[in-house]
């Protein structure tokens, strides 16, 4: 009888696992709350109108048809691994031989966060930010504050890269429109050296960009709360802004926090090196849903979610053939990003042995754009995976 793998979540991790397991001949069911995969890394260009919303979406039904994946578009309501059962929002239930959890993460909710907008939450928020930005541009002036927070319960759940990219891209857009003198751009974060996990060189390079571009910094100031058009800091100071783009730190997914599966203090699922959830040999967690183990600077990223998905798929293959799982994700932990600033980018790589930063004026921007096309073509099976991706 065919082995049935149930995958929860159709993002970076879930989609990669589904494709890999179908190539290995498993019966695969993919459950996603939405009918498209959202390509977060290129969504930074939706607010600046560099791309349309649809360009950052990859329809899941085309991929499901191509690979023979059974796709169910319906939110997961609960996971009960002790019963081997997953319940969906419509009340239907699914069983599995192997389960892969790839549902991403939720966000912490600092006081007053409803007065901010985030590029890292629900995809549609990118369109709301675009409208707010359009409004300020037609007014011809404004104050824009961009920031991100940390989660002391899991420092790997911070997402600062897109905040830096967002502020640099807005700077470039305003410069092109000749409006820079009428706008005030400020970046804020509670940690004294936000972005330091990218490595010393990358951090210093970013600081020099801030100085060169005239973007104000409020680093190392704990955030007390957000109010309408203001960030209030614990030291009593405040930052007024017409648009606040704030990326709250990640937190465990609310459905998984109720699942009874073992988790760390922040609600991320505890896994071993093979991506198996501790105490559950046939349940795997990959990507942002999982608690990562590894170097202090580790971060939840899309490329790592894909590595973990392939690790989980390989281990399911081994287990289903009566072998011990052999693949591990920890040796692959690295930070890899092409940090875009509108008219160029910087290639940043960090692993256990080295940290590299390479400024790529002009060409870096187009490389990142090309990566977005490549990702879609690769997932659609039209081009093979590039080595090292
Ligand atoms: C703006 C931005 C820019 C980024 N840039 C980069 C970058 O340049 N490089 C990089 O490596 N990483 C980047 N990242 C991080 C990267 O996008 C994430 O690490 C990656 O998406 C994690 O993959 P995942 O599969 O774990 O989660 P996701 O990709 O978030 O997928 C989770 C999936 O689960 C689904 N889901 C959630 N809840 C349910 C439910 N109840 N029922 C059913 N389905 C559900 C969601 O709809 C989604 O499809 C960026 C992130 C953001 C937000």
């Amino acid at each position: 009888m065919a082995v049935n793998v149930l995958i929860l979540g159709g993002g970076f991790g879930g989609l990669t696992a589904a494709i890999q397991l179908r190539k290995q001949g498993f019966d695969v069911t993919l459950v996603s709350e939405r009918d498209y995969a959202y390509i977060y890394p290129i969504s930074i260009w939706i607010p600046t109108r560099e791309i349309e919303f649809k360009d950052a979406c990859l329809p899941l039904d085309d991929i499901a048809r191509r690979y023979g994946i059974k796709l169910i578009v319906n939110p997961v309501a609960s996971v009960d691994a002790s019963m081997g059962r997953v319940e969906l929002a419509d009340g239907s239930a699914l069983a599995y031989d192997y389960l892969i959890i790839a549902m991403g993460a939720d966000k912490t909710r600092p006081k007053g966060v409803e007065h901010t907008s985030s590029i890292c939450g629900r995809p549609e928020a990118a369109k709301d930010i675009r409208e707010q930005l359009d409004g300020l541009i037609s007014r011809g002036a404004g104050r824009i504050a961009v920031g991100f927070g940390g989660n002391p319960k899991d420092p790997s759940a911070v997402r600062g890269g897109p905040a830096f990219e967002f502020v640099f891209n807005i700077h470039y857009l305003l410069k092109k429109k000749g409006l820079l003198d009428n706008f005030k751009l400020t970046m804020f974060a509670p940690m004294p050296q936000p972005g330091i996990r990218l490595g010393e060189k990358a951090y210093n390079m970013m600081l020099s960009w801030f100085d060169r571009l005239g973007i104000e910094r409020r680093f190392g100031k704990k955030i007390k709360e957000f109010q309408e058009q203001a960030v209030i800091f614990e030291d009593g100071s405040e930052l007024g802004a017409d648009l606040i783009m704030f990326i709250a730190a990640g937190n465990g997914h609310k459905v998984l926090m109720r699942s009874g599966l073992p988790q760390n203090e922040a609600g991320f699922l505890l896994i071993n090196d093979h991506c198996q959830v501790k105490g559950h040999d046939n349940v795997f967690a990959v990507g942002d849903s999982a608690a990562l183990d590894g170097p202090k600077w580790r971060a939840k990223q899309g490329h790592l979610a894909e590595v973990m998905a392939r690790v989980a798929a390989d281990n399911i293959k081994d287990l289903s053939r009566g072998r011990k799982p052999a693949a591990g994700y920890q040796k692959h932990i690295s930070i890899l990003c092409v940090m875009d600033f509108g008219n160029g980018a910087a290639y940043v790589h960090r692993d256990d042995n080295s940290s590299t930063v390479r400024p790529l004026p002009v060409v870096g921007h187009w490389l990142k754009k090309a990566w977005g096309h490549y990702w879609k073509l690769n997932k659609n099976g039209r081009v093979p995976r590039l080595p090292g991706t």
Side-chain angles (χ1 to χ4, degrees), residues 246-267:
F246 176 69
I247 304 176
N251 216 26
H253 193 294
K254 56 184 176 306
V255 169
L256 303 175
M257 287 174 88
R258 293 194 302 259
S259 67
L261 288 167
Q263 44 199 266
N264 70 6
E265 254 193 290

Side-chain angles (χ1 to χ4, degrees), residues 9 11-13 33-34 40 76 103 120 159 162 253 288 301-303:
F12 275 68
E33 64 181 347
R34 42 185 185 245
Y40 280 106
V76 173
M103 288 162 60
C120 290
R159 186 142 288 153
H253 193 294
D288 288 3
Q301 280 204 293
H303 76 94

Side-chain angles (χ1 to χ4, degrees), residues 68-85:
I69 297 164
K70 184 176 174 211
L71 173 67
I72 300 176
V73 178
N74 198 342
V76 173
S78 68
V79 176
D80 184 346
S82 62
M83 301 294 286
R85 187 185 144 95

Side-chain angles (χ1 to χ4, degrees), residues 8-14 31-34 36-38 40-44 74-77 102-105 119-121 159 162 165 253 255 286-289 300-305 336-338 368:
L8 310 181
F12 275 68
V31 182
S32 172
E33 64 181 347
R34 42 185 185 245
Y36 59 89
Y38 191 58
Y40 280 106
I42 60 169
S43 68
I44 48 158
N74 198 342
V76 173
M103 288 162 60
I119 188 115
C120 290
R159 186 142 288 153
E165 292 187 289
H253 193 294
V255 169
V286 304
D288 288 3
S289 297
K300 295 180 188 293
Q301 280 204 293
H303 76 94
L304 187 58
L336 177 64
C337 73
V338 174
K368 186 152 180 152

Side-chain angles (χ1 to χ4, degrees), residues 143-147 166 184-188 231 239-246:
R143 300 159 304 164
I144 300 174
V146 177
F166 183 81
K184 184 170 167 238
L185 295 182
T186 310
M187 178 108 193
F188 63 98
V231 187
L239 170 64
D242 306 296
L243 163 59
I244 307 171
M245 201 294 282
F246 176 69

Side-chain angles (χ1 to χ4, degrees), residues 49-360:
R49 293 195 173 275
E50 179 102 18
I51 64 168
E52 291 298 325
F53 181 76
K54 65 174 173 38
D55 299 329
C57 301
L58 180 61
L60 289 175
D61 54 356
D62 293 350
I63 299 171
R65 248 194 318 276
R66 182 170 190 102
Y67 289 99
I69 297 164
K70 184 176 174 211
L71 173 67
I72 300 176
V73 178
N74 198 342
V76 173
S78 68
V79 176
D80 184 346
S82 62
M83 301 294 286
R85 187 185 144 95
V86 168
E87 201 174 291
L88 306 186
D90 64 3
S92 58
L94 300 166
Y96 54 83
D97 296 312
Y98 294 95
L99 177 67
I100 299 184
I101 298 171
M103 288 162 60
D106 279 337
K107 296 280 179 218
T108 53
R109 288 198 59 80
K111 190 170 175 205
V113 75
E114 64 278 9
H115 298 298
T116 71
S117 305
S118 173
I119 188 115
C120 290
R122 57 184 184 91
E124 292 75 17
K127 291 191 269 185
D128 302 341
I129 299 172
R130 182 176 66 191
E131 269 173 37
Q132 292 181 59
L133 193 57
D134 282 351
L136 292 179
I137 287 172
S138 54
R139 198 172 89 184
R143 300 159 304 164
I144 300 174
V146 177
F148 61 98
N151 184 345
K153 293 178 181 166
D154 186 339
S156 75
V158 67
R159 186 142 288 153
F164 289 111
E165 292 187 289
F166 183 81
V167 79
F168 293 139
N169 270 271
I170 289 190
H171 180 280
Y172 179 61
L173 176 73
L174 295 174
K175 189 172 163 196
K176 270 195 309 190
K177 291 188 178 291
L179 290 172
L180 212 44
D181 290 345
N182 305 337
F183 275 80
K184 184 170 167 238
L185 295 182
T186 310
M187 178 108 193
F188 63 98
M191 36 314 246
Q193 291 183 299
I196 191 71
R197 70 179 59 231
L198 299 177
E200 208 56 62
K201 277 187 271 180
Y203 178 71
N204 288 331
M205 188 182 68
M206 282 193 308
L207 289 191
S208 69
W209 287 344
F210 276 99
D211 291 341
R212 208 176 61 228
L213 303 179
I215 301 171
E216 199 188 297
R217 297 192 296 260
R218 302 259 183 120
F219 291 171
K221 276 175 174 283
K222 297 254 178 297
I223 300 159
K224 182 174 169 229
E225 63 177 302
F226 297 98
Q227 293 176 359
E228 206 181 333
Q229 302 207 334
V231 187
I232 314 293
F233 298 101
E234 278 185 3
D235 64 5
S237 60
E238 59 177 87
L239 170 64
D242 306 296
L243 163 59
I244 307 171
M245 201 294 282
F246 176 69
I247 304 176
N251 216 26
H253 193 294
K254 56 184 176 306
V255 169
L256 303 175
M257 287 174 88
R258 293 194 302 259
S259 67
L261 288 167
Q263 44 199 266
N264 70 6
E265 254 193 290
F268 296 107
L269 299 180
L270 295 177
I271 56 169
N272 62 19
D273 191 30
H274 307 305
C275 295
Q276 287 167 301
V277 175
K278 290 196 173 158
H280 298 263
D281 284 354
N282 67 336
V283 180
F284 293 74
V286 304
D288 288 3
S289 297
L292 302 178
D293 225 347
K296 232 173 93 186
W297 46 260
R298 68 195 183 280
K300 295 180 188 293
Q301 280 204 293
H303 76 94
L304 187 58
E306 295 197 337
V307 167
M308 293 171 86
R310 285 193 284 273
V311 163
D314 285 350
N315 288 331
I316 288 175
K317 186 169 82 180
D318 278 345
L319 284 167
S320 69
R321 292 180 182 172
R323 295 196 294 250
K324 283 192 172 165
Y329 79 94
Q330 284 166 9
K331 65 172 185 265
H332 299 287
I333 291 182
S334 65
I335 291 181
L336 177 64
C337 73
V338 174
M339 186 172 293
D340 187 78
F341 38 84
N343 59 346
Y347 167 82
V348 181
H349 181 257
R350 179 171 195 180
D351 61 21
D352 257 345
N353 306 315
S354 62
S355 95
T356 312
V357 196
R358 204 157 290 141
L360 300 170

